[in-house]
Every structure is written in C-alpha cells, then in structure tokens.
Amino acid sequence: MRFSRSIVAVGIALGSLAFFSACSGPRSVRASAKAEKDRKPAPNFTLGDANGKSVSLADYKGQVVLLNFWATWCGPCGLEIPWFKEFEQQYKSQGFAVLGVSMDDDGWSAVKPYIAEHKINYRVLLGNDSVSQLYGGLDALPTTFIIDREGNIAYPPHVGLAGKNEYLSEIQSLLVDKPASAARHSLRPPLAALVLLAAK
Amino acid sequence: MPLLSYSQQNKLTVDSASRITVKRGAAGVTQTLNVNILPGFHVNSNQPKDEFLIPLKLTWQPGPLEAGAITYPKSEDIKVGKDVLAVFTGSFAIQTHFTARDSIASGPAVMTGKLRYQACNNEMCFRPASIDIHVPVQIE
C-alpha cells in the first residue's frame, strides 16, 4: 500500500513538472542557461541616459535585464531593435527591462535622432571605452547580455544578430524564476509537492 | 573582466602604394589605391543610403602635392533585413588626382592620408577604423 502511494506521488510530481515546463514556453535552442553557481556578475557601470540622468546597472538588480550594446551605424543592431521594443512592452510588468548602450563616438547628436526616428521605448545610455573594456572590448556589435534578477550573466553573450526566439526563450526562462529573495525561501510547487509526498 | 573579443583587424587592407612621379606645373597624375575587403565582409560605400551609416572616406593631409578629385568605385546594393545598403566588397580601387605646384622643390617626398571605414558582415558590425596611407612621391 505504502509502495503504491509512493508511485502515485512521484507520478503526480513528475506530471506537474512537465506541465510547468510546458507553460513556461520554449527553452533556449542555443545554449542552456549557466547554472546559478557558475554565473558571473555583470560588471556594474554608471552612464548617462538621454535625459542626462545617471543610471547604474546595479539599479536594475531584482529585474531580468537585456543589456544590448549597439550603435546607430550598425545595420544588424537596427534589425533587433523592433524585437527589443516588443519585449520591453510585453514583459516590463513582470520585472524585465531592456537597457541599450550606444557605442556611437558621435554621442547624443547621433543617438537622439535615432531614438526618435525608431521610437525606441526603452532606456538608452551612452557608452564609453571604460564600459567597453568591462565587457571585453565590444569590437563587434550588436553584443547582448541576458542578466538574471541577481545581476549575473545568465547565458553566453549574443555576439552579432541573434534570433528573436532565442532572446524570448532566455528571457522567459529567467522570468519564471522567482525574484532572488523569494526564491531562497521557497520551492516551486511541483518540487515542494515531490519532497512532501516522498517524506510521507 | 574580458568576456569576449572580436577584432576589427584585417577586415580591410590596403596594398602598398607604388611611387608616383609628378612634374611641377604639369597636369598631374592619378594615383591608385588598391583596397581589399575580407571575403564575407563589406564596408559602407562613400555614399551610404542611410544617414546614420559611416561612409568610406579617403582624406589627404597637406603635403608637397595638391590632392584633387577622389574617385571611388561604383557601389553595389546588398539587402540586410528590409534595408538596402550601398557597399563595397572584394577588391577595388580609389583614385586621387595629384598635382605639384611650380614652387615646390623637386626630389623625393611622401603624401600621407587616412582611409576611414566601417566594416560589417550580415550579422555584425565592427567599430569604425582608419588606416594610414603613405604614398611615395618623386617630384620633378
């Protein structure tokens, strides 16, 4: 009797896990997320936005961030921008933000007209060589990092034009994770059910 | 903490310029600069279709010769996403017409210039760069 109850309990738990996986959308087709213990902190920086306000990457801790290094003269960067606008609109309420860092040498005189012309709806900062060095030199654009709620780089960087679905799956997989503080104190329902039932 | 590095180096190279001989007060000579783009890459032409793109541009510093008209090759159109770009690919030549004033001293000299460019392939772009150009000159 006890044996059959355990079988049923494990079956329910596995079914729940499968259901939650399906609900969380497609997983990455490029590379799996790095294990949390293997993730490295995204180097912090402080840069000015188009309104002259200083913004630090650290201000975004607790949110999933798509950090996109780009330039107005970069054609492939321009292909990704409509996707990022869409992501910002769709996921902002779930604790997600797109942060664009322009690497234009000509500064805001080049970037502001581009923001206006392309109706960019997310925050854009003006990068510099120091930030570039923090992120490996950034000779090739676009280069995009997906950062988890803890402020760590969760996936290998996208260097060059990436697929919209790749970004989507990576963003979605991090958004289904609970905020860092809550995640430390609770388990996901299916896993909790598995532990409780197995203990019986 | 370097995370990655992609080099701008070698996307564009320029062949060593041959010596040109210019006669003072004469009609001048045309110097040809041979430029090579790495296969799979392109650079914006001297007249890109989009105002935000950085054109290929050859400039000459003041020197013993006077640089006149600079002639770029005909660009080719390529499609990246929905955009059509005017680019240069492969090997091509840029020509500059030089003249020497009557008052200039005869003998060997060098004209120096810069070729500014911005290279991309279909997936990524590289930061704008410049190559120094040196053209040996014999003034007669």
Side-chain angles (χ1 to χ4, degrees), chain A residues 4-166:
Chain A
S4 61
R5 275 178 60 189
S6 297
I7 295 283
V8 170
V10 170
I12 291 170
L14 290 176
S16 300
L17 280 171
F19 174 76
F20 266 73
S21 295
C23 288
S24 64
R27 294 284 170 180
S28 172
V29 294
R30 183 173 69 113
S32 300
K34 294 176 184 173
E36 284 191 39
K37 65 180 175 57
D38 296 331
R39 295 178 189 174
K40 292 198 165 65
N44 190 36
F45 54 78
T46 301
L47 295 169
D49 71 6
N51 298 317
K53 186 183 174 189
S54 287
V55 177
S56 294
L57 180 62
D59 299 341
Y60 287 80
K61 199 163 181 182
Q63 296 188 64
V64 173
V65 176
L66 185 153
L67 176 63
N68 171 238
F69 293 93
W70 68 288
T72 58
W73 41 259
C74 166
C77 301
L79 297 178
E80 293 186 331
I81 284 171
W83 308 340
F84 298 161
K85 288 163 59 180
E86 197 179 311
F87 299 161
E88 173 81 3
Q89 191 171 20
Q90 189 170 353
Y91 296 111
K92 188 174 183 176
S93 62
Q94 296 178 43
F96 168 79
V98 178
L99 198 53
V101 178
S102 162
M103 301 307 294
D104 283 79
D105 290 337
D106 293 338
W108 289 117
S109 63
V111 180
K112 281 184 178 177
Y114 191 97
I115 292 172
E117 186 172 322
H118 291 80
K119 298 182 172 61
I120 294 178
N121 61 349
Y122 51 84
R123 182 171 262 159
V124 174
L125 310 174
L126 194 60
N128 56 36
D129 286 343
S130 301
V131 172
S132 171
Q133 290 309 310
L134 286 174
Y135 282 84
L138 300 173
D139 287 326
L141 298 176
T143 295
T144 302
F145 296 83
I146 305 292
I147 299 169
D148 68 16
R149 294 186 195 274
E150 297 271 17
N152 297 320
I153 296 169
Y155 287 87
H158 295 272
V159 181
L161 180 64
K164 184 180 179 183
N165 287 337
E166 290 176 27

Side-chain angles (χ1 to χ4, degrees), chain A residues 154-179:
Chain A
Y155 287 87
H158 295 272
V159 181
L161 180 64
K164 184 180 179 183
N165 287 337
E166 290 176 27
Y167 286 128
L168 265 178
S169 66
E170 292 178 5
I171 292 164
Q172 288 171 343
S173 73
L174 294 178
L175 285 176
V176 298
D177 288 342
K178 293 194 171 185

Side-chain angles (χ1 to χ4, degrees), chain A residues 181-192:
Chain A
S181 56
R184 276 198 289 271
H185 301 295
S186 66
L187 295 167
R188 287 182 185 183
L191 189 56

Side-chain angles (χ1 to χ4, degrees), chain A residues 134 136 139-141 159-161, chain B residues 1 4 6 123-127:
Chain A
L134 286 174
D139 287 326
L141 298 176
V159 181
L161 180 64
Chain B
M1 187 182 74
L4 67 153
Y6 278 73
E123 294 182 348
M124 63 185 78
C125 289
F126 297 83
R127 297 175 83 169

Side-chain angles (χ1 to χ4, degrees), chain B residues 11-12 35-48 54-58 70-78 85-95 115-121:
Chain B
K11 305 293 182 296
L12 181 151
V35 181
N36 312 291
I37 309 293
L38 201 66
F41 291 85
H42 59 261
V43 297
N44 293 316
S45 79
N46 57 311
Q47 291 181 313
I54 294 171
L56 180 88
K57 189 174 184 182
L58 175 62
I70 298 174
T71 307
Y72 296 89
K74 189 176 184 302
S75 64
E76 61 178 284
D77 286 352
I78 62 166
L85 309 178
V87 302
F88 297 137
T89 60
S91 296
F92 57 91
I94 304 172
Q95 295 183 316
L115 182 64
R116 188 174 190 234
Y117 67 97
Q118 194 269 301
C120 296
N121 61 23

